[in-house]
Amino acid sequence: MRCAVFGATGYIGGRLVPELVQAGHQVRVVARTPVKLAEVPWRDRVEVVRGDVTSDDDVRAAMVGQEVIYYLVHSLTRRDFADIDQRAARIVGAAARAAGVRRIVYLGGIIPEQTPLSRHLASRAEVGVILRESGVPTVELRAAVIIGSGSASFEMLRYLSERLPAMVAPRWVHNRIQPIAVRDVLYYLVRAAELPPDVNRSFDIGGPDVLTYSTMIRKYAAVAGLPRRMVLPVPVLTPWLSAQWVNVVTPVPRALAVPLIESLVHEVVCHDHDISAYIPEHDGGPTSYEKAVELALARIRNVEVPTRWSDASTVGTPSDPLPSDPEWSGGSLYEDFRERRTHAGPDTLWAVIESIGGENGWYSFPLAWSLRGWIDRVSGGVGLRRGRKDPHRLHPGEALDWWRVELIDRPRLLRLRAEMRVPGLAWLELGVEPEPGGGARYRQRAVFQPHGLAGHFYWKALTPFHDVVFGGMVRNIIGTAERAPATGTRAGGAD
């Protein structure tokens, strides 16, 4: 069938697309920023179109000629996410009906019987209602915690389990949860396209195990080979306080941790298994919790994580390219430019540049970078702990600590856009130019577009430290390249 996927740059969408292709469907991918898909392995097997779900024109154009629509878009990190998601759902539903789409498939969350719901779960439920009432047969698959390498829920569980041998936890750690492996979610999503046209309803989907969150932590520790973890529940930790703790201990930022934890306050267990009457279980049956954890950890160890929660852009960050002149930003554009020649070859220098960040660090005053990361985390930003998927290779649109890879022109230019909390917009460019007589020239450019008086003050206050931070980066990147073997081998390890 002809399928359009909205949200293909997100965690589930990025894994669903190749599954649909493998199942023989013709896939159109709708992305607000198509460049983020430039290097995904399935790019040449799908049609990619630009589209924003809040734009009527974009959505109508994306629907033309399609039979099945997968809607996998959420705006969790914005305060007004409920309004945005409902508006987008109405636009998608109306456009699908006008285009003669045969089916909509939507992934939502299990709705607990208790009321009132968290804002996150209430919004998910409302989107499902809007799509089912659109006039287009809709299947809403409702899942609780998704266990898979790179999912926000799994990363939160993993870091809490690995970093804290004992923890004081809120009472909700004793609430029951029915987690599901990401492979099972994808199986149901793919098969949902084939359901008969009279099916217009929601289905709860879950794994075979019903556990408490504290049991999930202990079982994770057992699978990961960690000592037994102690979880001590106390009544004084509210969801908001719990989210602050998650923000400090894990890479999941507070803006995302709050809605996730608000949902865990409820018991999220499947109310039925009606899906089995329409979609048979796959070979081997549903994946157990321990098996799902084992598979996720294997992918992490083998650096085979195709998508991560951080792949989705942080809402509110710029999607425009780097401004090239002061006129673009209204006359105010600060710049720190440095360059230096090295006898290291261009390939060797580029290998160092592309390996920057994550466990490899930023080649300059680690304490200052760490402190700035903590300040960003405390203020509700993403901080430095998002890391990177691969220690040596980057891709457009990928999260890299508090940066986003905006452009990579291998082996010439890497452009990063800041997603930390600053009073303005910031970019960092790292470039390589071969020298005619051998060696290479390293170019480094930091650009800042201030917002208001606070932005101007921010840049001027940090200017005295630029030689330490930016100058140190130049010296250490050049030094690392000159010490590396001149064979094109990447710094930090072989390809």
Side-chain angles (χ1 to χ4, degrees):
M1 289 177 282
R2 298 183 300 278
C3 304
V5 179
F6 289 83
T9 58
Y11 175 72
I12 292 293
R15 300 193 182 203
L16 174 64
V17 171
E19 296 289 331
L20 291 172
V21 171
Q22 186 175 357
H25 301 303
Q26 300 175 43
V27 181
R28 174 180 293 170
V29 170
V30 188
R32 187 170 66 95
T33 312
V35 69
K36 293 176 66 174
L37 302 171
E39 295 188 5
V40 294
W42 40 263
R43 173 64 182 82
D44 295 336
R45 303 174 66 189
V46 304
E47 177 191 5
V48 177
V49 300
R50 187 192 179 283
D52 189 322
V53 291
T54 61
S55 167
D56 294 88
D57 292 340
D58 287 359
V59 173
R60 281 197 296 268
M63 296 283 185
V64 174
Q66 301 304 297
E67 299 174 274
V68 180
I69 300 301
Y70 283 92
Y71 188 68
L72 306 169
V73 179
H74 301 290
S75 307
L76 281 183
T77 55
R78 286 189 56 153
R79 292 183 179 180
D80 57 346
F81 69 83
D83 293 336
I84 293 175
D85 283 346
Q86 289 175 28
R87 177 189 168 203
R90 291 190 179 94
I91 290 173
V92 168
R97 183 177 64 252
V101 169
R102 289 165 40 187
R103 171 156 306 287
I104 296 174
V105 181
Y106 167 63
L107 180 62
I110 290 179
I111 306 302
E113 296 177 348
Q114 303 98 321
T115 55
L117 299 175
S118 70
R119 292 189 308 137
H120 166 46
L121 284 179
S123 176
R124 291 284 187 96
E126 181 61 28
V127 168
V129 170
I130 291 171
L131 293 176
R132 291 198 303 276
E133 295 179 350
S134 66
V136 179
T138 297
V139 169
E140 177 188 1
L141 298 177
R142 294 177 169 178
V145 174
I146 296 177
I147 303 298
S149 59
S151 80
S153 297
F154 181 72
E155 289 296 283
M156 187 171 80
L157 174 74
R158 179 165 77 97
Y159 278 83
L160 287 173
S161 302
E162 292 185 354
R163 293 186 171 180
L164 300 175
M167 67 188 81
V168 175
R171 286 179 295 184
W172 54 257
V173 297
H174 285 326
N175 289 347
R176 296 187 306 152
I177 303 168
Q178 192 164 355
I180 183 171
V182 65
R183 52 163 30 185
D184 294 347
V185 174
L186 297 174
Y187 171 77
Y188 285 123
L189 284 170
V190 172
R191 295 297 300 270
E194 305 165 5
L195 294 182
D198 62 328
V199 178
N200 183 51
R201 55 164 293 184
S202 63
F203 294 96
D204 289 353
I205 57 173
D209 305 304
V210 176
L211 310 166
T212 66
Y213 201 81
S214 61
T215 302
M216 289 170 63
I217 289 175
R218 293 190 179 99
K219 285 181 175 291
Y220 174 93
V223 173
L226 302 173
R228 179 179 173 82
R229 268 30 189 169
M230 294 184 59
V231 182
L232 307 174
V234 294
V236 294
L237 287 179
T238 65
W240 186 87
L241 286 173
S242 301
Q244 313 313 307
W245 181 239
V246 169
N247 180 55
V248 171
V249 176
T250 81
V252 180
R254 185 172 61 204
L256 184 55
V258 169
L260 289 177
I261 290 176
E262 284 180 345
S263 300
L264 293 174
V265 170
H266 307 289
E267 288 199 336
V268 278
V269 177
C270 294
H271 304 298
D272 59 66
H273 193 54
D274 293 353
I275 191 71
S276 62
Y278 298 90
I279 300 176
E281 293 181 353
H282 58 73
D283 294 341
T287 309
S288 69
Y289 171 74
E290 287 94 334
K291 182 63 175 179
V293 170
E294 181 183 327
L295 291 170
L297 291 178
R299 279 191 173 271
I300 293 170
R301 284 193 301 269
N302 297 330
V303 196
E304 295 176 350
V305 182
T307 61
R308 300 172 68 208
W309 63 270
S310 57
D311 290 339
S313 298
T314 301
V315 178
T317 57
S319 58
D320 298 307
L322 174 70
S324 57
D325 57 74
E327 183 180 356
W328 185 94
S329 58
S332 296
L333 191 69
Y334 293 111
E335 178 181 276
D336 182 282
F337 178 76
R338 300 166 190 264
E339 66 176 354
R340 181 173 164 182
R341 182 171 179 173
T342 172
H343 63 72
D347 290 343
T348 303
L349 180 58
W350 176 258
V352 176
I353 290 174
E354 195 172 356
S355 297
I356 201 167
E359 295 297 324
N360 297 322
W362 289 89
Y363 297 100
S364 173
F365 202 5
L367 180 60
W369 284 84
S370 179
L371 178 61
R372 184 63 183 86
W374 274 101
I375 292 173
D376 195 55
R377 296 286 293 188
V378 171
S379 63
V382 296
L384 268 180
R385 286 204 300 269
R386 291 192 299 185
R388 49 182 294 161
K389 285 191 288 191
D390 187 300
H392 305 307
R393 190 172 180 87
L394 295 172
H395 303 279
E398 178 183 346
L400 177 61
D401 291 329
W402 66 45
W403 304 92
R404 179 79 54 182
V405 179
E406 185 170 87
L407 172 69
I408 182 164
D409 182 9
R410 198 177 284 109
R412 294 180 55 252
L413 178 67
L414 172 64
R415 179 186 298 155
L416 306 175
R417 186 181 73 240
E419 292 186 339
M420 70 186 96
R421 290 181 175 265
V422 292
L425 308 179
W427 291 262
L428 178 64
E429 285 188 339
L430 310 176
V432 177
E433 181 179 328
E435 286 288 330
R441 184 168 296 274
Y442 171 69
R443 288 194 169 97
Q444 178 179 292
R445 183 182 182 218
V447 179
F448 183 70
Q449 179 200 344
H451 285 174
L453 183 61
H456 291 276
F457 178 78
Y458 176 83
W459 179 267
K460 294 183 182 298
L462 293 180
T463 298
F465 303 99
H466 284 180
D467 279 340
V468 175
V469 177
F470 295 131
M473 286 186 69
V474 174
R475 291 189 297 272
N476 292 325
I477 287 175
I478 292 295
T480 301
E482 292 180 345
R483 291 191 298 271
T487 59
T489 299
R490 297 184 183 275
D495 271 330

Short mmCIF file of all heavy atoms in Angstrom, two decimals, residues 267-305:
data_model
loop_
_atom_site.label_atom_id
_atom_site.label_comp_id
_atom_site.label_asym_id
_atom_site.label_seq_id
_atom_site.Cartn_x
_atom_site.Cartn_y
_atom_site.Cartn_z
N GLU A 267 -1.50 3.74 37.23
CA GLU A 267 -1.21 2.38 36.79
C GLU A 267 -1.56 2.26 35.31
O GLU A 267 -2.68 2.58 34.90
CB GLU A 267 -2.01 1.37 37.62
CG GLU A 267 -1.50 1.24 39.04
CD GLU A 267 -1.96 -0.03 39.71
OE1 GLU A 267 -3.01 -0.58 39.28
OE2 GLU A 267 -1.30 -0.49 40.65
N VAL A 268 -0.58 1.85 34.50
CA VAL A 268 -0.81 1.75 33.06
C VAL A 268 -0.69 0.28 32.65
O VAL A 268 0.38 -0.22 32.34
CB VAL A 268 0.18 2.66 32.27
CG1 VAL A 268 -0.33 4.08 32.24
CG2 VAL A 268 1.58 2.62 32.88
N VAL A 269 -1.82 -0.39 32.67
CA VAL A 269 -1.92 -1.81 32.37
C VAL A 269 -3.01 -1.99 31.32
O VAL A 269 -4.05 -1.32 31.36
CB VAL A 269 -2.27 -2.63 33.64
CG1 VAL A 269 -2.43 -4.09 33.31
CG2 VAL A 269 -1.18 -2.43 34.70
N CYS A 270 -2.80 -2.91 30.38
CA CYS A 270 -3.79 -3.16 29.33
C CYS A 270 -5.13 -3.58 29.93
O CYS A 270 -5.19 -4.43 30.81
CB CYS A 270 -3.30 -4.27 28.39
SG CYS A 270 -1.83 -3.83 27.43
N HIS A 271 -6.21 -2.97 29.43
CA HIS A 271 -7.55 -3.32 29.89
C HIS A 271 -8.10 -4.51 29.11
O HIS A 271 -9.07 -5.15 29.56
CB HIS A 271 -8.49 -2.12 29.72
CG HIS A 271 -8.01 -0.88 30.43
ND1 HIS A 271 -7.83 -0.82 31.79
CD2 HIS A 271 -7.64 0.34 29.95
CE1 HIS A 271 -7.40 0.39 32.13
NE2 HIS A 271 -7.27 1.11 31.03
N ASP A 272 -7.55 -4.75 27.94
CA ASP A 272 -8.02 -5.86 27.12
C ASP A 272 -6.90 -6.29 26.19
O ASP A 272 -5.86 -5.63 26.11
CB ASP A 272 -9.26 -5.46 26.31
CG ASP A 272 -8.97 -4.27 25.39
OD1 ASP A 272 -8.17 -4.43 24.44
OD2 ASP A 272 -9.55 -3.19 25.60
N HIS A 273 -7.14 -7.39 25.50
CA HIS A 273 -6.20 -7.86 24.48
C HIS A 273 -6.96 -8.13 23.19
O HIS A 273 -6.73 -9.11 22.49
CB HIS A 273 -5.47 -9.12 24.97
CG HIS A 273 -4.28 -9.48 24.12
ND1 HIS A 273 -3.25 -8.61 23.84
CD2 HIS A 273 -3.96 -10.64 23.49
CE1 HIS A 273 -2.35 -9.20 23.07
NE2 HIS A 273 -2.76 -10.43 22.83
N ASP A 274 -7.89 -7.21 22.88
CA ASP A 274 -8.73 -7.37 21.69
C ASP A 274 -7.92 -7.38 20.41
O ASP A 274 -8.39 -7.90 19.39
CB ASP A 274 -9.77 -6.26 21.63
CG ASP A 274 -10.79 -6.34 22.76
OD1 ASP A 274 -10.76 -7.34 23.51
OD2 ASP A 274 -11.61 -5.41 22.89
N ILE A 275 -6.74 -6.80 20.44
CA ILE A 275 -5.92 -6.73 19.23
C ILE A 275 -5.65 -8.12 18.68
O ILE A 275 -5.45 -8.29 17.46
CB ILE A 275 -4.59 -5.99 19.55
CG1 ILE A 275 -3.83 -5.67 18.27
CG2 ILE A 275 -3.73 -6.80 20.49
CD1 ILE A 275 -4.46 -4.60 17.44
N SER A 276 -5.65 -9.13 19.54
CA SER A 276 -5.33 -10.50 19.09
C SER A 276 -6.38 -11.05 18.14
O SER A 276 -6.12 -11.99 17.39
CB SER A 276 -5.19 -11.43 20.29
OG SER A 276 -6.40 -11.50 21.02
N ALA A 277 -7.60 -10.48 18.17
CA ALA A 277 -8.65 -10.93 17.25
C ALA A 277 -8.42 -10.41 15.83
O ALA A 277 -9.03 -10.92 14.89
CB ALA A 277 -10.01 -10.46 17.76
N TYR A 278 -7.56 -9.42 15.69
CA TYR A 278 -7.31 -8.81 14.39
C TYR A 278 -5.87 -9.03 13.91
O TYR A 278 -5.63 -9.17 12.72
CB TYR A 278 -7.58 -7.30 14.45
CG TYR A 278 -9.00 -6.96 14.78
CD1 TYR A 278 -9.41 -6.78 16.10
CD2 TYR A 278 -9.94 -6.80 13.77
CE1 TYR A 278 -10.72 -6.45 16.40
CE2 TYR A 278 -11.26 -6.46 14.05
CZ TYR A 278 -11.64 -6.30 15.38
OH TYR A 278 -12.94 -5.98 15.67
N ILE A 279 -4.94 -9.04 14.84
CA ILE A 279 -3.53 -9.22 14.49
C ILE A 279 -2.97 -10.38 15.31
O ILE A 279 -2.87 -10.28 16.54
CB ILE A 279 -2.70 -7.94 14.77
CG1 ILE A 279 -3.26 -6.76 13.96
CG2 ILE A 279 -1.24 -8.16 14.45
CD1 ILE A 279 -2.56 -5.44 14.25
N PRO A 280 -2.59 -11.48 14.67
CA PRO A 280 -2.04 -12.61 15.43
C PRO A 280 -0.67 -12.26 16.00
O PRO A 280 0.04 -11.40 15.47
CB PRO A 280 -1.94 -13.72 14.37
CG PRO A 280 -1.80 -12.98 13.08
CD PRO A 280 -2.62 -11.74 13.22
N GLU A 281 -0.32 -12.92 17.08
CA GLU A 281 1.01 -12.69 17.66
C GLU A 281 2.08 -13.17 16.69
O GLU A 281 1.90 -14.16 15.98
CB GLU A 281 1.14 -13.42 19.00
CG GLU A 281 0.24 -12.86 20.08
CD GLU A 281 0.40 -13.59 21.40
OE1 GLU A 281 1.12 -14.61 21.42
OE2 GLU A 281 -0.19 -13.15 22.41
N HIS A 282 3.20 -12.45 16.67
CA HIS A 282 4.28 -12.84 15.76
C HIS A 282 4.98 -14.09 16.28
O HIS A 282 4.78 -14.52 17.41
CB HIS A 282 5.27 -11.70 15.58
CG HIS A 282 5.89 -11.21 16.86
ND1 HIS A 282 6.83 -11.92 17.55
CD2 HIS A 282 5.70 -10.06 17.56
CE1 HIS A 282 7.20 -11.25 18.62
NE2 HIS A 282 6.53 -10.11 18.66
N ASP A 283 5.81 -14.67 15.45
CA ASP A 283 6.53 -15.89 15.81
C ASP A 283 7.32 -15.67 17.09
O ASP A 283 8.06 -14.70 17.22
CB ASP A 283 7.48 -16.30 14.69
CG ASP A 283 6.74 -16.70 13.42
OD1 ASP A 283 5.54 -17.00 13.53
OD2 ASP A 283 7.35 -16.67 12.33
N GLY A 284 7.17 -16.57 18.03
CA GLY A 284 7.87 -16.43 19.29
C GLY A 284 7.04 -15.76 20.36
O GLY A 284 7.40 -15.76 21.54
N GLY A 285 5.93 -15.13 19.97
CA GLY A 285 5.06 -14.48 20.94
C GLY A 285 5.62 -13.15 21.40
O GLY A 285 6.68 -12.70 20.97
N PRO A 286 4.89 -12.47 22.29
CA PRO A 286 5.34 -11.16 22.78
C PRO A 286 6.66 -11.27 23.54
O PRO A 286 6.95 -12.28 24.18
CB PRO A 286 4.20 -10.71 23.70
CG PRO A 286 3.48 -11.96 24.07
CD PRO A 286 3.61 -12.89 22.90
N THR A 287 7.45 -10.22 23.46
CA THR A 287 8.80 -10.22 24.04
C THR A 287 8.73 -9.93 25.54
O THR A 287 8.10 -8.96 25.96
CB THR A 287 9.67 -9.15 23.36
OG1 THR A 287 9.59 -9.32 21.94
CG2 THR A 287 11.10 -9.24 23.81
N SER A 288 9.37 -10.77 26.33
CA SER A 288 9.39 -10.54 27.78
C SER A 288 10.19 -9.28 28.12
O SER A 288 11.00 -8.80 27.32
CB SER A 288 10.01 -11.74 28.50
OG SER A 288 11.41 -11.82 28.22
N TYR A 289 9.96 -8.76 29.30
CA TYR A 289 10.67 -7.56 29.74
C TYR A 289 12.17 -7.80 29.77
O TYR A 289 12.96 -6.99 29.26
CB TYR A 289 10.18 -7.13 31.13
CG TYR A 289 11.00 -6.03 31.74
CD1 TYR A 289 10.90 -4.73 31.29
CD2 TYR A 289 11.91 -6.31 32.78
CE1 TYR A 289 11.67 -3.71 31.86
CE2 TYR A 289 12.66 -5.30 33.35
CZ TYR A 289 12.55 -4.01 32.89
OH TYR A 289 13.31 -3.02 33.44
N GLU A 290 12.60 -8.93 30.36
CA GLU A 290 14.03 -9.21 30.44
C GLU A 290 14.67 -9.33 29.06
O GLU A 290 15.76 -8.83 28.82
CB GLU A 290 14.28 -10.50 31.24
CG GLU A 290 14.05 -10.37 32.73
CD GLU A 290 12.65 -10.78 33.11
OE1 GLU A 290 11.74 -10.68 32.25
OE2 GLU A 290 12.45 -11.18 34.28
N LYS A 291 13.95 -9.97 28.11
CA LYS A 291 14.48 -10.11 26.76
C LYS A 291 14.57 -8.74 26.07
O LYS A 291 15.55 -8.46 25.37
CB LYS A 291 13.58 -11.04 25.95
CG LYS A 291 14.07 -11.29 24.52
CD LYS A 291 15.42 -12.01 24.50
CE LYS A 291 15.85 -12.36 23.09
NZ LYS A 291 17.16 -13.05 23.07
N ALA A 292 13.58 -7.89 26.29
CA ALA A 292 13.61 -6.56 25.70
C ALA A 292 14.80 -5.75 26.22
O ALA A 292 15.48 -5.05 25.46
CB ALA A 292 12.30 -5.82 26.00
N VAL A 293 15.07 -5.86 27.52
CA VAL A 293 16.23 -5.16 28.10
C VAL A 293 17.53 -5.72 27.52
O VAL A 293 18.44 -4.97 27.17
CB VAL A 293 16.22 -5.29 29.63
CG1 VAL A 293 17.53 -4.79 30.23
CG2 VAL A 293 15.04 -4.51 30.22
N GLU A 294 17.59 -7.03 27.42
CA GLU A 294 18.78 -7.68 26.87
C GLU A 294 19.06 -7.22 25.44
O GLU A 294 20.19 -6.90 25.07
CB GLU A 294 18.59 -9.19 26.91
CG GLU A 294 19.76 -10.00 26.39
CD GLU A 294 19.46 -11.49 26.41
OE1 GLU A 294 18.73 -11.94 27.32
OE2 GLU A 294 19.94 -12.20 25.50
N LEU A 295 18.02 -7.16 24.61
CA LEU A 295 18.18 -6.72 23.22
C LEU A 295 18.61 -5.26 23.15
O LEU A 295 19.46 -4.88 22.33
CB LEU A 295 16.86 -6.92 22.46
CG LEU A 295 16.44 -8.36 22.21
CD1 LEU A 295 15.01 -8.42 21.68
CD2 LEU A 295 17.40 -9.04 21.22
N ALA A 296 18.02 -4.43 24.00
CA ALA A 296 18.37 -3.01 24.01
C ALA A 296 19.82 -2.80 24.41
O ALA A 296 20.55 -2.01 23.79
CB ALA A 296 17.44 -2.25 24.95
N LEU A 297 20.27 -3.49 25.43
CA LEU A 297 21.66 -3.34 25.88
C LEU A 297 22.64 -3.86 24.83
O LEU A 297 23.73 -3.29 24.65
CB LEU A 297 21.86 -4.08 27.20
CG LEU A 297 21.15 -3.48 28.42
CD1 LEU A 297 21.38 -4.34 29.66
CD2 LEU A 297 21.64 -2.06 28.67
N ALA A 298 22.26 -4.91 24.11
CA ALA A 298 23.13 -5.43 23.05
C ALA A 298 23.31 -4.39 21.95
O ALA A 298 24.41 -4.20 21.42
CB ALA A 298 22.56 -6.73 22.48
N ARG A 299 22.24 -3.71 21.58
CA ARG A 299 22.34 -2.66 20.56
C ARG A 299 23.23 -1.51 21.03
O ARG A 299 24.01 -0.97 20.26
CB ARG A 299 20.95 -2.13 20.22
CG ARG A 299 20.18 -3.00 19.24
CD ARG A 299 18.93 -2.28 18.76
NE ARG A 299 18.25 -3.01 17.69
CZ ARG A 299 18.51 -2.86 16.41
NH1 ARG A 299 19.47 -2.02 16.02
NH2 ARG A 299 17.84 -3.54 15.49
N ILE A 300 23.10 -1.15 22.30
CA ILE A 300 23.93 -0.06 22.83
C ILE A 300 25.40 -0.46 22.83
O ILE A 300 26.27 0.32 22.43
CB ILE A 300 23.46 0.31 24.26
CG1 ILE A 300 22.06 0.93 24.20
CG2 ILE A 300 24.44 1.26 24.92
CD1 ILE A 300 21.40 1.11 25.55
N ARG A 301 25.70 -1.69 23.26
CA ARG A 301 27.09 -2.15 23.28
C ARG A 301 27.69 -2.19 21.88
O ARG A 301 28.87 -1.88 21.68
CB ARG A 301 27.17 -3.54 23.92
CG ARG A 301 27.03 -3.57 25.42
CD ARG A 301 27.45 -4.93 25.97
NE ARG A 301 26.64 -6.00 25.40
CZ ARG A 301 25.52 -6.45 25.95
NH1 ARG A 301 25.07 -5.90 27.06
NH2 ARG A 301 24.84 -7.45 25.39
N ASN A 302 26.88 -2.58 20.90
CA ASN A 302 27.37 -2.73 19.52
C ASN A 302 27.25 -1.46 18.70
O ASN A 302 27.50 -1.46 17.50
CB ASN A 302 26.61 -3.86 18.83
CG ASN A 302 26.85 -5.21 19.49
OD1 ASN A 302 27.90 -5.45 20.06
ND2 ASN A 302 25.85 -6.08 19.42
N VAL A 303 26.87 -0.36 19.36
CA VAL A 303 26.67 0.94 18.68
C VAL A 303 25.74 0.75 17.48
O VAL A 303 26.02 1.16 16.36
CB VAL A 303 28.02 1.56 18.24
CG1 VAL A 303 27.83 3.04 17.91
CG2 VAL A 303 29.08 1.40 19.30
N GLU A 304 24.61 0.11 17.72
CA GLU A 304 23.62 -0.15 16.67
C GLU A 304 22.26 0.41 17.08
O GLU A 304 21.24 -0.26 17.02
CB GLU A 304 23.51 -1.65 16.42
CG GLU A 304 24.78 -2.29 15.85
CD GLU A 304 24.65 -3.80 15.71
OE1 GLU A 304 23.66 -4.36 16.23
OE2 GLU A 304 25.54 -4.40 15.08
N VAL A 305 22.25 1.67 17.53
CA VAL A 305 21.02 2.31 17.96
C VAL A 305 20.52 3.19 16.81
O VAL A 305 21.04 4.28 16.58
CB VAL A 305 21.25 3.16 19.22
CG1 VAL A 305 19.94 3.78 19.69
CG2 VAL A 305 21.86 2.30 20.33
#
